[in-house]
Amino acid sequence: MRRGFTHQLNSSALDPGQRQLRIEGLGLHFGELVALDDVSLEIRQGEIMAIIGPNGAGKTSLLNCISGLYRPQKGRILFTNRGEHDTTRLSPDRIARLGIARSFQNIELFRHMSVLDNLLSGCSIHMKAGLLSCMLYWGKAEREQLAFRRFVEDIVDLLEIAAVRKQTVESLAYGLQKRVELGRALAMKPALLLLDEPMAGMNSEEKEDMARFILDVNEEHGITIVLIEHDMGVIMDISDRIAVLNFGSKIAEGSPDEIRADQAVIHAYLGDE
Amino acid sequence: MESGIFHTTYRADMALRQTPAEKVRVVLAVLLVLCFPFFADRFYLTLANQIGIAVIGAIGLNLLVGYTGQISLGQGGFMAVGAYTAGLLTAQLGVPWYGSIPLACLATAVVGGFFGIPSLRLKGLYLVIATLAAQEIILWIVTHWDAVTGGVDALVVPDPTLFGIQMNTDFRFYWVIWGLAGLTILVTVNLFRTHIGRAWIAIRDQDIAAEVMGIGLFRYKLLAFATSSFFVGLAGALIAHYRNIVTWERFTVDVSVTYLAMIIIGGLGSVAGAIFGAVFITLLPVFLNDAGQALRGVIPNIDTILPFAEQAAFGIVIILFLVLEPRGLRRIWDRIKDYFRLWPFSY
Ligand SMILES: Nc1ncnc2c1ncn2[C@@H]1O[C@H](COP(=O)(O)OP(=O)(O)O)[C@@H](O)[C@H]1O
Ligand SMILES: [Mg+2]
């Protein structure tokens, strides 16, 4: 594996294995309800980190804290990409600009746009043309649009969505929409990619495709991935490390083999039997 | 017959008009606008000028409401800013009319941007109320700031001249209005080919996802308010110089509602829709009036009820439209095009 930024889709400048994201003692509550309780986690460049846990364990809340949608009451989040940034209090768009992209548990595409326009929206942060240039569609604006139009075609190829690229996303099957959402996140050329249940609700064939895409993105482009998923088969297959959340606390962390053998995890998943 | 659209270069793929039929339609529309004044009489020229101004205002509003999803009832107020700024610059400070127009646009953009600030916190109906407040505040200032605006009295604007030629005949001002309408169309269509327009649509469709894609909501919403108001201000400035007179009654909340009706009936989030809506809403009262006159001999005492009947008919037509084709004239137009695209092989 080479440095991230030598890959087209990846904007990370770290070497594989270097610490990319550090979460320190994160605490988040909604009124009485504790969603995250003193969660600490490190994510390294180039790995696939899976986060598992029962429903309501706080997995999505954790991603929301990382991408700035939730403000944790306790703890810090530090992200390294060309210098270390404390992102705990940054707005979502600032965090996105630092190189963190994500998909959502319930698809949140731009419904009325075509697949291509959704992907191009993902490139927004890299488009710099000013208002006047855009109004005239001349000079920088035109050059930029053409360059990124070419660029998103690579994502279309990677995700095998060429046949539907001019269609409105609203009209696509669920599985394809999930793929487009992955594509839109990739269009940001992220350093770190957060995927919230990218295979939920898919049949086994679709899951296999999606797992292959995620591995491609990780192996060929060296993008670090944090993945929430319920299918243990897939998780054990593709992740390098796994963290387990239960009632907002991290109860285990380790390689797939370690997690498989962990008593606390077995307990949380199977209950007292 | 076009069976499908296939392009060999990305440039062609991203071109504004993609098929020969689309190009032909644009050329025909431009020819119509260019030839119309040579055949039309004064009555129709006046109507065409009103339509041109409405087209500019409706495109501006659609940019904000239809594309960005920020519903506004401030249209009348923003038009007033444009009209009074242009009128006062020329009447009081002697700025030439063609210089006052861009300045009025910029002033309206600033005012629109300012009243867009609440949009960061307010959505939907709450934003409607906030923009309604903007409308009322602007109109209150206009009618009470006697020293500058002349209050409720009409502001008289000197005749526009160009190289010593009086410009405010219907025929001559037609070129000013439709030239600027053409520019407005072009600039808006271009914006929606770039990241700025896409960011606006993204905010409308899914604002949280947009933010997570790095699109700063505050920045782009304010930009939408400012850009929209720029064009709305242009419509106002044109009214000032075309009519030579600016009165506050032309910019009440009725105007805001009428413009909303235009873009809803024409088609939200579509430049073509804004144009269709502007044409339709400007012409509808004229047709209704003609129909009323035609019924004169048939129904006794029609003179007393005619004004009310016209208003009621206006409302009924709009309701019928919304029920029968909620996506507007633009959608009907698309269906006509689809029909003829495959014609005569449609099955
Ligand atoms: N915006 C919110 N407001 C109130 N409670 C929330 C909110 N988001 C999440 N929660 C609560 O936090 C807990 C963790 O939720 P979540 O992170 O979505 O779990 P998971 O993704 O692991 O299923 C749940 O009990 C959920 O109801
Ligand atoms: Mg979840």
Side-chain angles (χ1 to χ4, degrees), chain A residues 151-180:
Chain A
F151 164 72
V152 295
E153 205 62 29
D154 293 338
I155 297 176
V156 167
D157 287 344
L158 178 81
L159 300 181
E160 299 166 9
I161 46 179
V164 297
R165 64 192 194 281
K166 300 239 159 143
Q167 287 184 31
T168 318
V169 291
E170 218 172 17
S171 67
L172 298 183
Y174 177 83
L176 279 175
Q177 292 197 12
K178 281 267 184 197
R179 255 191 236 184
V180 176

Side-chain angles (χ1 to χ4, degrees), chain A residues 97 108 142 145 149 166, chain B residues 11 13 198 205-206 214:
Chain A
R97 279 165 196 278
E108 310 280 11
E142 185 184 19
Q145 293 309 316
R149 177 66 184 79
K166 300 239 159 143
Chain B
R11 182 181 295 274
D13 192 58
R198 259 183 241 117
D205 276 4
Q206 238 308 321

Side-chain angles (χ1 to χ4, degrees), chain B residues 97 157-176 241-242 244:
Chain B
W97 63 279
V157 186
D159 288 347
T161 56
L162 195 64
F163 309 120
I165 303 168
Q166 290 285 335
M167 286 302 291
N168 68 331
T169 69
D170 284 309
F171 180 82
R172 291 190 188 134
F173 218 72
Y174 176 94
W175 303 103
V176 176
H241 290 298
Y242 175 50
N244 296 120

Side-chain angles (χ1 to χ4, degrees), chain A residues 69 92-93 96-97 102 104 108-113 117 120-122 124-125 127 129-131 134-137 141-142 144-146 149-150 153 166 184 188, chain B residues 7 10-11 13-14 18 186-187 190-191 193-196 198-206 208-217 219-220 223 227 231:
Chain A
L69 294 174
D93 60 296
R97 279 165 196 278
R102 73 171 288 177
F104 293 86
E108 310 280 11
L109 286 166
F110 306 126
R111 293 186 294 137
H112 299 99
M113 288 188 199
D117 278 334
L120 284 166
S121 303
S124 276
I125 50 173
M127 297 183 181
L131 184 64
C134 288
M135 282 179 158
L136 303 174
Y137 197 70
E142 185 184 19
E144 225 170 47
Q145 293 309 316
L146 290 174
R149 177 66 184 79
R150 209 165 285 131
E153 205 62 29
K166 300 239 159 143
R184 187 181 63 178
M188 292 168 67
Chain B
H7 296 289
Y10 292 122
R11 182 181 295 274
D13 192 58
M14 298 193 82
Q18 303 208 329
L186 205 63
V187 160
N190 277 340
L191 272 178
R193 302 162 78 192
T194 69
H195 63 285
I196 296 180
R198 259 183 241 117
W200 286 334
I201 298 175
I203 289 172
R204 176 196 70 193
D205 276 4
Q206 238 308 321
I208 291 175
E211 209 178 5
V212 169
M213 313 296 319
I215 295 167
L217 295 187
R219 188 166 162 232
Y220 277 98
L223 190 63
T227 312
F231 295 122

